[in-house]
Amino acid sequence: MKASKRQGCSPQRTNPPQVEQRRLQRENNRLAREIESLRQQLKERDRKLAEAEKEIAEREGQIAEAEKQIKDLERQLKLRRQNSTTSSKPPSSDGLAGEPRQRGSKRKKGRRKPGGQPGHRGRWRELVPAERVNEMIEVFPPRCRHCHHRFPGRGTRPDVEGEPRRHQVTELPPIEAHITEYQCQRALCPECGNATQAALPKEATGNFGPQLTALIAYLTVVCRMPRRVVLELIGQVLGIQLSLGSVQNSWEEASEAVAEPCAELERQLPNQPVVNSDETGYRTNGEKRWLWAMVAPGFVFYKIALSRGAEVLVQLLGAAFAGVLCSDRCPSYLKYHKGTGQFCWAHFKRNVLGVLEIAKTTEAERFCRDLLALHARLFRLWHRFRDGPGARHGPIDRQQLILKSIPLEKKFFELADRYADSGDKDVRNLATALLTHFERFFTFLYEEGVEPTNNSVERALRCAVQWRKISFGSRSAEGEVAVARLLTVARTCQMQGQTPLGYLSAAIRSHRSAQPIPHLLKTASTT
């Protein structure tokens, strides 16, 4: 029985060391493979992460570049939308398709109907003096409106009471050309029997009289009419048949007639106490030129030059100008004139408005608004001085103007100094310009006859620009000279209260008869 129990029970088996070692080896190999797989996965993830970071960096760079381009495009769009009220562009560049200019007050339109309002004092055409009347016709009623008694007919004047009701009708007489024929006879000499033909009088030179020749130049320059329109006007209204060559010849003769008076004005320029100067583009046969305008206290002078540089100022005003030169901040004036000057506040204000329009920072907006507020206060003082008794807030004299302006000058200087190192480039440029040329912005406060703006010469250039747009410039150097001379005559006569047509007629008449030409500037003959 014990033997059978031993045979039925199997003894417990144990793994030998070799088996356990192989198992551990397999486990190590499996773990090593897993570790290697995890390492490969980690490397792959690191690689993808690096690529993602690189892609993110590239995208961030692209976004930054796109944002910069958007800002540049927005700035360019705002600059393109600027008009003459927010930049130095001329009003003629605004165009019909651009942004409309804000003119006058921004208040909402009222409900009042246009025209005179109830209680408004009417205005009507004044009667001319009796001595100016060419014909006077008395009108009597045909019958009494009370008893219907018929008044006597023509030839019998009834009794009248009081003053008559006067009514004047202005009419043009029939317009027709006055043609004078000169017959130069061949007279026979009683001594030798030879014939001598009479010479044509000097005043009869040319085919058209001084008045008609002056009218052609007047219509072209002052009225800014193209030559073909002048041709049609004279042909249809006066019944005088002309050619384009005749119109051009009359134009050139008018230029020759006023050559000496214009040269006299040019010689007077360096002696003027105040000169306002500006320039604009011009074309001669498609080539670039510059049309300069100089406004002095008694006359306006134009010149067409090849350059916009300081050498033109040296030619017109001398090597050093002793008076006050008023201008914008063009580098030509800064290079030429080191003496007393006045910079245009209108130009500077337009620059400030332009910066305010494209401003992206609070700093720029604050600077521009503070500067515009000071500008408004300064010009309120100036208008009180300039308008005299009619000033809105009461007149002030020169001494009061200076005293009241001193605190404003200090505030201008403090504002410019505060923003001289601004991070905004446009603000920094404006502040630096105000600091650098501070004295030239306030000359008008201390010098007699100096205006704070350059509007006088800008108005003088406006008519020249209109002429340029109609005529498309000149075709020769002689044409440039003629344009400058006739513009000088037209604007100077208007400034002095003369009629350009009357002066041109007198100048052409004197030129033909070899007589002294009338002076354009009355004081020029005594200086």
Side-chain angles (χ1 to χ4, degrees):
M1 187 168 181
K2 291 182 179 178
S4 61
K5 288 183 178 177
R6 282 192 208 101
Q7 292 176 356
C9 295
S10 58
Q12 188 175 0
R13 301 176 62 183
T14 57
N15 293 329
Q18 293 83 2
V19 174
E20 184 65 21
Q21 186 175 4
R22 285 196 296 270
R23 187 183 69 79
L24 293 176
Q25 184 65 35
R26 287 194 301 269
E27 186 68 19
N28 288 337
N29 291 339
R30 184 182 66 78
L31 292 176
R33 288 194 299 270
E34 289 182 0
I35 292 173
E36 184 64 25
S37 176
L38 291 174
R39 285 177 179 175
Q40 294 296 329
Q41 293 178 8
L42 183 60
K43 288 182 179 180
E44 183 66 19
R45 289 182 180 180
D46 289 343
R47 183 183 65 81
K48 291 182 178 180
L49 181 61
E51 291 179 354
E53 290 178 349
K54 181 179 180 181
E55 185 177 358
I56 291 173
E58 291 178 353
R59 295 291 176 85
E60 289 178 349
Q62 292 175 359
I63 292 173
E65 184 67 23
E67 289 178 349
K68 182 180 178 181
Q69 290 180 0
I70 290 172
K71 290 181 179 179
D72 291 341
L73 291 175
E74 287 179 346
R75 180 182 176 84
Q76 292 177 19
L77 182 60
K78 289 183 178 180
L79 290 174
R80 187 174 293 275
R81 287 180 176 176
Q82 285 183 341
N83 53 33
S84 56
T85 63
T86 56
S87 68
S88 297
K89 295 179 179 179
S92 58
S93 67
D94 292 344
L96 297 178
E99 292 291 329
R101 298 177 62 193
Q102 294 292 337
R103 299 178 183 269
S105 176
K106 296 183 180 180
R107 294 180 300 179
K108 293 183 178 180
K109 187 177 180 180
R111 296 182 178 180
R112 296 192 307 173
K113 295 181 179 179
Q117 305 301 314
H120 171 70
R121 184 179 179 182
R123 304 186 69 88
W124 52 88
R125 181 179 177 83
E126 299 291 339
L127 296 174
V128 301
E131 57 270 14
R132 177 63 183 83
V133 176
N134 300 99
E135 182 182 5
M136 186 178 297
I137 301 176
E138 289 186 325
V139 182
F140 297 96
R143 62 177 65 238
C144 177
R145 68 185 180 92
H146 302 284
C147 65
H148 304 290
H149 173 73
R150 182 178 293 277
F151 290 108
R154 295 182 179 179
T156 304
R157 190 177 189 275
D159 296 334
V160 296
E161 179 185 24
E163 294 295 328
R165 181 172 69 89
R166 298 173 61 195
H167 175 74
Q168 296 176 347
V169 177
T170 303
E171 176 63 298
L172 283 175
I175 301 176
E176 59 180 12
H178 181 80
I179 301 175
T180 303
E181 179 178 335
Y182 293 85
Q183 296 183 351
C184 301
Q185 300 289 351
R186 295 173 59 88
L188 293 174
C189 179
E191 293 292 333
C192 63
N194 294 324
T196 301
Q197 189 170 25
L200 191 67
K202 292 181 179 180
E203 62 272 12
T205 303
N207 296 322
F208 309 112
Q211 191 76 14
L212 179 56
T213 304
L215 177 63
I216 293 173
Y218 176 84
L219 293 175
T220 309
V221 178
V222 179
C223 301
R224 295 180 283 279
M225 297 173 60
R227 288 172 172 80
R228 292 188 181 276
V229 178
V230 173
L231 198 68
E232 293 181 5
L233 176 65
I234 293 179
Q236 295 179 9
V237 177
L238 300 180
I240 303 173
Q241 300 303 318
L242 299 176
S243 64
L244 287 176
S246 299
V247 174
Q248 181 64 25
N249 291 338
S250 299
W251 164 273
E252 293 176 355
E253 184 182 4
S255 170
E256 294 176 1
V258 298
E260 179 53 34
C262 290
E264 194 172 23
L265 293 185
E266 184 175 1
R267 292 192 294 268
Q268 289 294 319
L269 275 175
N271 304 323
Q272 298 303 307
V274 181
V275 171
N276 290 70
S277 178
D278 201 358
E279 70 289 330
T280 186
Y282 196 79
R283 294 283 180 182
T284 299
N285 274 339
E287 297 180 357
K288 186 69 174 180
R289 298 288 188 273
W290 292 95
L291 175 60
W292 290 75
M294 301 273 180
V295 177
F299 62 92
V300 183
F301 183 80
Y302 293 87
K303 182 179 180 62
I304 298 177
L306 295 173
S307 169
R308 195 187 187 184
E311 60 272 13
V312 180
L313 294 169
V314 173
Q315 180 183 355
L316 294 176
L317 301 177
F321 182 58
V324 180
L325 182 59
C326 307
S327 64
D328 53 19
R329 302 193 312 277
C330 181
S332 302
Y333 301 101
L334 297 174
K335 180 180 178 181
Y336 164 71
H337 190 57
K338 305 301 181 184
T340 306
Q342 172 63 50
F343 280 158
C344 178
W345 273 101
H347 280 80
F348 192 69
K349 180 182 178 181
R350 289 195 291 265
N351 295 147
V352 176
L353 290 173
V355 173
L356 179 61
E357 186 175 350
I358 64 176
K360 284 291 186 179
T361 62
T362 306
E363 183 183 33
E365 293 182 358
R366 186 181 297 113
F367 169 77
C368 293
R369 295 189 186 280
D370 291 347
L371 189 57
L372 291 174
L374 290 175
H375 174 273
R377 294 175 59 185
L378 179 66
F379 269 72
R380 278 197 294 268
L381 288 177
W382 169 252
H383 292 154
R384 292 178 63 185
F385 168 76
R386 185 194 63 183
D387 297 343
R392 182 178 179 182
H393 300 287
I396 57 176
D397 56 20
R398 174 74 67 177
Q399 190 62 29
Q400 291 174 319
L401 173 66
I402 295 174
L403 290 177
K404 291 178 179 294
S405 299
I406 290 176
L408 293 179
E409 290 186 59
K410 293 180 179 179
K411 290 183 179 180
F412 271 112
F413 188 87
E414 292 172 357
L415 182 65
D417 186 61
R418 190 187 317 146
Y419 288 92
D421 298 325
S422 171
D424 190 304
K425 179 181 177 182
D426 296 322
V427 172
R428 186 170 64 251
N429 290 341
L430 288 177
T432 303
L434 187 57
L435 281 177
T436 305
H437 311 291
F438 191 80
E439 293 183 355
R440 295 197 177 199
F441 278 99
F442 298 97
T443 303
F444 73 98
L445 298 173
Y446 307 93
E447 296 290 339
E448 193 69 33
V450 179
E451 293 283 332
T453 67
N454 216 24
N455 289 343
S456 61
V457 70
E458 288 187 352
R459 289 194 296 268
L461 275 180
R462 183 173 179 82
C463 66
V465 170
Q466 292 172 340
W467 159 257
R468 179 195 66 194
K469 288 181 175 292
I470 292 173
S471 64
F472 301 102
S474 303
R475 294 186 178 179
S476 63
E478 292 78 8
E480 293 178 355
V481 174
V483 168
R485 287 174 179 171
L486 294 177
L487 285 174
T488 298
V489 170
R491 292 296 299 182
T492 299
C493 288
Q494 292 173 356
M495 178 183 287
Q496 298 177 358
Q498 302 185 58
T499 58
L501 180 60
Y503 179 83
L504 286 172
S505 300
I508 293 172
R509 189 176 293 108
S510 300
H511 176 69
R512 289 183 178 181
S513 59
Q515 298 295 322
I517 310 297
H519 293 287
L520 266 174
L521 187 61
K522 300 303 180 183
T523 58
S525 58
T526 60
T527 56

